[in-house]
Amino acid sequence: MTGALLTIITDNWWDIRDLSNLSGAIRDLVSDAGGPGWLVYVVAGLLGAAGIVTFVGVTAIINIWIERRVVGRMQSRLGPNRPGPVGLLQPLADAIKLMQKEVLQPKLADALVFTAAPIAFTVPGIAVLAVVPWGRNMTLASLDAGIVFIFAMSSLAALAVFIGGYGSNNKYALFGSMRVIAMLVTYEIPIVMSLLGIAMFAGTMNLDGIVRFQEDHWLFLIMLQPLAFVIYFMSSSAELNRTPADLAEAESEIAGGYHVEYSGMKFGLYYAAELINCVTVSAIIATLFLGGWWAYKLDEIVPGWMIYIGKVYAVYFLFIWTRGTLPRFRIDQLLAFAWKWMTPMALVNVLMVAAEVLIWEETGWSAGVLLPIYVVLNNALALALIVAWVRVFAPRFERFPDRPRFYSTIDVPSLPAVAPVQPGTQSQ
Amino acid sequence: MIEQFGRAGFLLLFAVAFPLLPIVASVVLGVFKIRPRKPDPVKESIYECGMVPIGNAQVRYNVRYYVFGLLFVIFDVEAVFLYPWAVTYRQLGLYAFVEVVLFLGILFVGYAYAWRKGAMEWK
């Protein structure tokens, strides 16, 4: 068995299509050595968990560089370029700097909560990755309540932010944490409602099952559920506290919000956990809407986990893009947007999907006929609802813009000609 | 099922160890005097842009948050009912559809009332 293990590592190390390829060899090694059943289970579980945590650690380090470089590019600046070639060693420099900084902790802060908050903020983002399938049969925990597990974990992160801000006994931090709670309770609703449609189409909350549904019916769920994708993407970017909706830290208004009192490695954890949570949400979107590890015929040539990570980074790029280009919302706008547009739209989406699945089940028509119709129908509905909402609720100047949209159309009045002043003729 | 949750538990262990590692490393650096530790009253006070903070920050907050909290509870409980329905919907058929239209209809009346009352405005 050691031979088989070595062959896998040396010959096609990249090809871990199935957890049973690599970890199965190790598992066999344990059972051949006469280990009991529970030992095999523990070894398999630890292997998978170690793999996921390694991925998380590496992405957190790489993403510091990617995010700053890409945002820099979008905003016509360079981004980090001093440490190492094209600034590649920047994450290392950041980590060393943060670790050896003096840790300041206010006397009045609640010491236990103050320390526990950054740790509690990091845990949920990693734990969610247990339920996402990384490839065919490559899920660590294939839970039947997968989507509910995701909701349960992702709300914990906002709670951690709140206790950190409240525990630091700072008024800016309190503002930040209260904003987090307001945004959490507001955006949790559209997030929960938008994924109902997916559970209905797939008939399961198991993420493996959802990917299998997409594979069986030869489509990505983003085609069937464009409205849900828009709602989920916007809401989760609000829940992640990323720039279009980073009211909780809003460094120009409340001086950093919930992490204003943090320094050293505890601040570094907040920073890293934000990137990890963003990758986690990208992973969820890639699984639920973009087919996970499945990509038409591509997954027969390329290992599924490579396709999957590619999709995760494609979604992550969208998050960086919104961060690099959009200004921050005002809190009343952000909350009104969730209550007055996202929630009713998500409910409309649920009813639409309910009617569609009902027709599918009752008439017994084949999916090949019905699903393309649904794709067209749902895309048209999503577009119509978005346009209608802008027409009805957007401020007047956005509905009927009377200001010029492009510089070339601005009519600059030419300045009146001024006679050149003759030296010596100026009045005293 | 419990077997699957157990594996998620393994990841949870690693997830807790992951943030603890840099914290412990930071503490170790402090023990070896690589990391400075020179506390003074200004450093240990609350940061409020140079002002001496007045009073405690753990105070009561705006009542708006409670209104939003109540709305959240209504919708979240509704979601708790909708998810089991969504998963078994294919087996339930027309009856379940009519029931949910009624359910959401009642919710929608409440939603319109909350909107009309201005519970969704942030003032």
Side-chain angles (χ1 to χ4, degrees), chain B residues 52-70:
Chain B
V52 177
I54 301 167
N56 201 322
Q58 292 168 351
V59 289
R60 293 187 291 173
Y61 17 80
N62 197 338
V63 71
R64 277 283 141 221
Y65 292 104
Y66 296 96
V67 178
F68 274 52
L70 281 176

Side-chain angles (χ1 to χ4, degrees), chain A residues 27 41-42 44-46 49-50 52-53 56-57 60 99-110 115 118-119 122-123 126-127 129-130 139-144 147-149 151 153 162 166-172 174-175 178-179 182 184-186 188-189 191-193 195-196 199-205 213 255 260-261 265-266 269 276 331-332 335-336 339-341 343-344 347 350-351 353-355 357-358 360-362 393, chain B residues 1-27 29-30 34-41 43-49 52-62 65-98 100-102 104-105 107-108 111 115 118-123:
Chain A
R27 241 180 336 199
Y41 170 71
V42 169
L46 287 181
I52 290 175
V53 169
V56 166
M99 239 185 259
Q100 57 176 355
K101 254 181 98 166
E102 176 173 7
V103 174
L104 304 177
Q105 184 168 338
K107 258 225 169 75
L108 287 172
D110 187 330
T115 314
I119 297 171
T122 320
V123 172
I126 304 173
L129 291 175
T139 317
L140 181 63
S142 178
L143 299 183
D144 280 342
I147 292 183
V148 174
F149 184 81
F151 294 146
M153 282 297 164
F162 173 73
Y166 195 70
S168 12
N169 210 336
N170 181 314
K171 288 179 193 106
Y172 290 124
L174 181 77
F175 288 150
M178 289 320 291
R179 285 180 177 188
L184 168 78
V185 299
T186 313
E188 191 72 7
I189 311 294
I191 283 185
V192 170
M193 295 285 165
L195 296 190
L196 265 173
M200 250 186 277
F201 265 123
T204 173
M205 286 191 278
F213 172 84
V260 61
E261 290 293 354
M265 205 55 229
K266 285 176 200 158
L269 275 182
I276 292 172
I331 188 153
D332 60 324
L335 298 184
W339 284 117
K340 295 182 179 173
W341 187 72
T343 308
L347 286 177
V350 167
L351 287 179
V353 174
V357 173
L358 189 72
W360 187 359
E361 282 295 312
E362 295 291 308
F393 286 110
Chain B
M1 191 79 267
I2 195 74
E3 181 195 345
Q4 301 290 343
F5 272 107
R7 293 195 187 173
F10 285 126
L11 185 63
L12 210 59
L13 287 182
F14 276 82
V16 174
F18 182 81
L20 276 178
L21 208 70
I23 296 268
V24 170
S26 169
V27 169
L29 285 181
I34 295 169
R35 200 190 60 183
R37 178 94 187 99
K38 295 193 187 90
D40 68 42
K43 276 187 196 168
E44 284 187 342
S45 75
I46 303 287
Y47 169 74
E48 249 172 54
C49 298
V52 177
I54 301 167
N56 201 322
Q58 292 168 351
V59 289
R60 293 187 291 173
Y61 17 80
N62 197 338
Y65 292 104
Y66 296 96
V67 178
F68 274 52
L70 281 176
L71 277 176
F72 167 70
V73 169
I74 295 165
F75 278 92
D76 221 32
V77 169
E78 180 216 350
V80 169
F81 287 120
L82 280 178
Y83 262 95
W85 165 79
V87 172
T88 51
Y89 181 61
R90 278 172 184 277
Q91 286 93 55
L92 296 177
L94 184 64
Y95 174 68
F97 179 70
V98 174
V100 156
V101 169
L102 281 178
L104 289 183
L107 183 91
F108 199 78
Y111 174 80
W115 191 333
M120 290 157 192
E121 310 289 337
W122 184 271
K123 285 192 219 93

Side-chain angles (χ1 to χ4, degrees), chain A residues 298-380:
Chain A
L298 196 65
D299 59 305
E300 288 168 13
I301 317 162
V302 186
W305 59 275
M306 278 189 179
I307 297 177
Y308 184 63
I309 291 175
K311 283 178 182 174
V312 169
Y313 270 87
V315 179
Y316 182 57
F317 177 75
L318 274 182
F319 276 114
I320 299 179
W321 197 355
T322 51
R323 179 188 184 154
T325 45
L326 292 178
R328 188 178 296 135
F329 292 121
R330 224 167 53 205
I331 188 153
D332 60 324
Q333 293 169 335
L334 193 73
L335 298 184
F337 184 58
W339 284 117
K340 295 182 179 173
W341 187 72
M342 296 239 194
T343 308
M345 286 309 108
L347 286 177
V348 168
N349 189 45
V350 167
L351 287 179
M352 187 81 180
V353 174
E356 284 172 354
V357 173
L358 189 72
I359 292 169
W360 187 359
E361 282 295 312
E362 295 291 308
T363 57
W365 288 336
S366 75
V369 181
L370 276 179
L371 287 182
I373 301 174
Y374 289 168
V375 168
V376 175
L377 211 61
N378 286 351
N379 276 293

